[in-house]
Structure formats: structure tokens, C-alpha cells
Amino acid sequence: MQIAVSGLNRGLAASEEDLKKAEAAAKELESIGGPVDLSTDLDKLQGRWKLIYSSAFSSRTLGGSRPGPPTGRLLPITLGQVFQRIDILSKDFDNIVELQFGTPWPIPPIEATATLSHKFDVIGPAKIKITFEKTTVKPTGSFSQLPPLEVPRLPDALRPPSNTGSGEFEVTYMDSDTRITRGDREELRVFVIS
């Protein structure tokens, strides 16, 4: 699987052919591994996982089939590494994104880590539901002495119906160092333990 997605910049550089190759590699691993049963394998979720591929990134948005923010040159933001930190005891499920914000010269770019905190529940043999709690942005690099900032959440009445703050995905393959998920946005994601 890692060979099929190497060089694709987590999917940002994926062509239509690359998408097909990644999908085929994922299906092969899923068939070899058989069904995932989180009632017996929940402990395998524990840890920090690095995203190495997302089919949504090839759409140049962060939202898969329900487009999210653009990842191209429209915003002066560079996407760094993306991680998931999962704690099976506290039910914490954090998406962690390294970001770099462009600034006018001579100010150096601002680097930060955004943590989207969720709680999770297992709602089927291999299905997980995450519920959004908060977003925290912590400056890093030359601005690391600044305190973290909690981003205010839009009230439910102002949020679009597609942004409910929760989501579901199915874990379709998992071993001690690789995890494949398929999300409610028709998104294929591949993670490796980090």
C-alpha cells in the first residue's frame, strides 16, 4: 500500500491513474486482511497515526465529495503533515494538522499546529463515529512562545447542514502499523503508525 501512494504528497499530487492504483492496492489489502472487528481489535487503534494518503486531497479540497476549504493557491496556507491521535481509554480522537501561513515580506511565515479535538464511539463492528469538540491552534517555530488559541465554534443554527461537527468512517483494514479507512464523504484514507 505504501508503495502505491508514495510520491503522491498524501494525495495532493494524485492523477486519475494514481487514484485507481491506490484504490486497487487498498482493496487488495482489505481482502487479505478480512473484516475488521473493533470489539476485539480496538487496542490496535491506540496511538499516533500519520496520514500518508487521502483520496479527498486529489479533489484539491479538504472535504472529499462534500468540498471543504481549497488546498491550492487561493489561500496563503501550506499544509504540512497530518496526524490522528487516538486514545481508546479516554475516547479522544484528535486530528492534528501542521500549517504554515504566508506573510508579507520581511515577516517570516507563521507556523502552527491545529488540533481538531473529537470524542469517538464505536457504532458497529468496524464503524466509528466522531463528534467534534473544539479546535486549538498552537503557534510553532519562531512564534512558539505565543499561547494556543481556541477557535470559536459556530453556533449550530449558523452552521451549514453538511457541517454537523460529527462524522462516521469505517476501518476497512488494520494491522500493527497500517490502517485504512473509508469515510462518510466517500474518502479513502491510509495511515501508518508514527
Side-chain angles (χ1 to χ4, degrees):
M1 184 76 229
Q2 290 184 40
I3 293 170
V5 299
S6 68
L8 299 181
N9 190 14
R10 291 155 294 156
L12 289 167
S15 67
E16 197 62 41
E17 185 63 28
D18 294 327
L19 288 173
K20 290 176 185 172
K21 286 179 185 175
E23 180 67 30
K27 283 186 175 180
E28 184 177 340
L29 261 182
E30 290 164 343
S31 69
I32 291 170
V36 173
D37 184 356
L38 294 175
S39 67
T40 58
D41 287 337
L42 187 63
D43 60 320
K44 288 184 182 176
L45 278 179
Q46 180 72 32
R48 181 176 157 124
W49 296 84
K50 180 179 176 181
L51 177 72
I52 61 169
Y53 176 78
S54 169
S55 62
F57 285 172
S58 67
S59 67
R60 305 300 181 258
T61 79
L62 300 179
S65 65
R66 288 185 273 159
T71 59
R73 297 182 183 270
L74 297 176
L75 296 174
I77 300 172
T78 302
L79 183 66
Q81 296 299 323
V82 178
F83 298 92
Q84 283 183 343
R85 183 177 50 220
I86 303 170
D87 185 321
I88 62 169
L89 297 177
S90 65
K91 301 287 190 179
D92 289 332
F93 191 104
D94 298 334
N95 287 311
I96 303 164
V97 182
E98 296 173 353
L99 301 167
Q100 186 179 70
F101 299 90
T103 55
W105 186 86
I107 301 170
I110 298 171
E111 297 172 340
T113 300
T115 302
L116 289 78
S117 300
H118 299 81
K119 289 292 186 183
F120 81 91
D121 289 301
V122 176
I123 59 171
K127 199 167 206 171
I128 292 178
K129 178 178 182 175
I130 58 172
T131 304
F132 177 77
E133 291 197 319
K134 66 180 180 178
T135 299
T136 306
V137 178
K138 171 70 177 120
T140 58
S142 55
F143 294 95
S144 62
Q145 71 279 9
L146 294 174
L149 167 73
E150 190 168 319
V151 179
R153 182 176 177 186
L154 280 175
D156 290 344
L158 297 177
R159 238 179 296 134
S162 65
N163 183 6
T164 61
S166 66
E168 296 176 4
F169 64 88
E170 189 167 350
V171 179
T172 57
Y173 176 83
M174 188 168 52
D175 63 22
S176 60
D177 62 357
T178 303
R179 179 168 51 98
I180 298 174
T181 65
R182 293 184 180 271
D184 59 357
R185 297 179 181 191
E186 299 174 20
E187 177 183 9
L188 168 66
R189 290 183 178 181
V190 181
F191 296 88
V192 292
I193 200 79
S194 70

